[in-house]
Amino acid sequence: PLFVCHGIFGGIWHFRPLAEALGDDIPVYGLLGRGFGGDGPVPATMEEMITAYADEVDRFRPSGTIHLAGWSAGGWYAYEVARRLAGRGRTIGLVALLDTHRGPRLPPAVALAVSAARLAEAVDRWRARLARLSWSTVARRGTARRTAAVVQPEGKPRAVDGDPWWNALLGHRTGYHGGAIDLFLSEESAGHTMLLWRMLCGGGIHPHAVPSRHNAMLGGEAVRRIARVCRARMDDGEPEGSPERRA
């Protein structure tokens, strides 16, 4: 089976198209956010959540290979469950992360490299935008205001009151994973996403370009492509090509 992890709002209904695309012979089970819909208290920390989800997977599938997936920030939950189960000696197969990048606090070396990459990307965007502007347009709009808006690197996402799964993710510090991941990248994925996962995963990453915008990845031809890759990975154990590994 494939275990899919909830995202920052706690729900899992957005994975229905993926479950349908995978076919009836691959069961898909969702790890719903603890406390979602008022069903009990929400754990205060992501550590508590990950322990609970890992325990659930262990009980449901006490032996055999574990396959996990998560979309957007929910990919961090899949990643952390994989790390926790690997630490218990479980065999981890597919770890499918769909456009996952922003989220928890990173190990210092990774945070420094990713911050530098984000800044470089922001400067490139600034240069490209300025190249498209005439001097009269710059003067009219206000150079300082416009430059500040473009150059400012991406910061941490703002915590959203009432979304405890997002707040818990922002307060969590992640770590390294000895296994590999399959990284699905939308047309909107930032360049530093590859760098981030290449540094975190000792087993390497298998990148897959998905011709879709971020919010449309779990629908249409995009989700069918994702399903084909996931199915092959779950059936054969290894996708085509060697993983890109950490230097």
Side-chain angles (χ1 to χ4, degrees), residues 3-8 31-35 41-59 66 68-70 73-88 90 92 95 97 104 164-166 168-177 197:
F3 294 92
V4 296
C5 296
H6 69 83
I8 60 174
L31 294 169
L32 194 65
R34 287 285 165 141
V42 178
T45 68
M46 189 167 172
E47 279 291 327
E48 294 176 69
M49 297 182 196
I50 296 305
T51 297
Y53 302 154
D55 290 347
E56 240 176 87
V57 173
D58 260 338
R59 282 194 298 268
I66 304 297
L68 295 149
W76 284 108
Y77 281 91
Y79 175 75
E80 293 294 348
V81 172
R83 290 181 66 226
R84 182 63 55 85
L85 290 170
R88 297 178 182 181
R90 298 301 305 272
I92 306 299
V95 180
L97 307 184
W165 306 279
W166 182 224
L169 176 60
L170 294 182
H172 179 71
R173 183 177 291 282
T174 192
Y176 298 100
H177 175 49
W197 291 109

Side-chain angles (χ1 to χ4, degrees), residues 107-197:
V110 180
L112 182 62
V114 169
S115 294
R118 282 177 174 167
L119 180 58
E121 289 167 9
V123 170
D124 286 343
R125 289 195 299 271
W126 171 71
R127 287 173 174 165
R129 292 186 187 187
L130 282 185
R132 293 195 297 269
L133 292 175
S134 66
W135 282 111
S136 59
T137 303
V138 173
R140 186 169 64 252
R141 294 183 181 179
T143 305
R145 177 181 61 81
R146 184 171 180 79
T147 300
V150 175
V151 171
Q152 184 178 0
E154 296 176 39
K156 269 204 170 295
R158 180 178 61 86
V160 182
D161 292 338
D163 298 328
W165 306 279
W166 182 224
N167 296 342
L169 176 60
L170 294 182
H172 179 71
R173 183 177 291 282
T174 192
Y176 298 100
H177 175 49
I181 64 163
D182 283 76
L183 182 62
F184 295 86
L185 300 164
S186 76
E187 295 170 342
E188 298 170 319
S189 292
H192 65 263
T193 304
M194 286 276 288
L195 172 66
L196 163 66
W197 291 109

